[in-house]
Amino acid sequence: MTEHTHLESSATAVPFGEFRIARTEEGEAVVVEVAGDVDTTTAPALVQAADEALAEQPPVLVVDLTRVEFLASPGLTALLTIHRNAGTATAVRIVASGRATLRPIQLTGLEESLSLFPTREAALAGS
C-alpha cells in the first residue's frame, strides 16, 4: 500500500485541514482513498496518486471520497482530470455520498460526467 501524506497523520481521525491518500488493491481494482480537504493545495496530489495507479492499467480505479471533509472546485477538476487520464482502459468509479462530496458534484452537474457510487462496495461491484 502506498500512502501519500500532505501533513502528519494520525491512525484514525483526520484533524481539520489534514490531507491523506492511501492506495490499496482489492481484487483487480485499485482503490485510492482520500481523507481531509481536497482543495488548491491538495488536488494535485490526488491526481498524481491516481495517475500512478492508472499507469498500471487496472480494469477499475475507485476514488473513495468517503472521508473527505471539503471538496473545493480544484478537487472537482481533479476528478474530471482523473476520468480523462484513464481513457478507455480503466473504469473510474467515484465513491461520494456525504454532503461534503456529493453536494458539490451535484451542484456543478458533474454527476452526468462521473460514475458515482454511494459506497466502496458498490463501486467495486459496479452497481
Side-chain angles (χ1 to χ4, degrees):
M1 175 171 80
T2 303
E3 188 168 320
H4 298 271
T5 304
H6 183 67
L7 297 172
E8 291 300 313
S9 63
S10 65
T12 54
V14 178
F16 179 75
E18 188 169 329
F19 177 78
R20 184 172 57 231
I21 297 175
R23 179 186 184 275
T24 57
E25 294 180 16
E26 296 194 28
E28 293 185 359
V30 174
V31 178
V32 174
E33 181 182 13
V34 187
D37 296 347
V38 184
D39 56 23
T40 303
T41 59
T42 59
L46 172 55
V47 172
Q48 179 182 351
D51 282 348
E52 289 171 5
L54 289 170
E56 299 170 17
Q57 298 183 347
V60 176
L61 172 65
V62 175
V63 179
D64 188 345
L65 304 177
T66 303
R67 299 184 65 210
V68 169
E69 298 165 359
F70 177 70
L71 183 62
S73 59
L76 297 170
T77 301
L79 296 176
L80 288 172
T81 300
I82 292 165
H83 182 72
R84 183 194 69 223
N85 291 352
T88 59
T90 302
V92 176
R93 300 174 183 166
I94 310 294
V95 178
S97 60
R99 184 172 176 82
T101 56
L102 187 57
R103 186 78 174 136
I105 291 170
Q106 290 173 328
L107 286 173
T108 56
L110 293 179
E111 74 269 20
E112 302 298 323
S113 302
L114 301 172
S115 296
L116 298 176
F117 296 84
T119 65
R120 181 186 296 202
E121 293 75 23
L124 288 169
S127 59

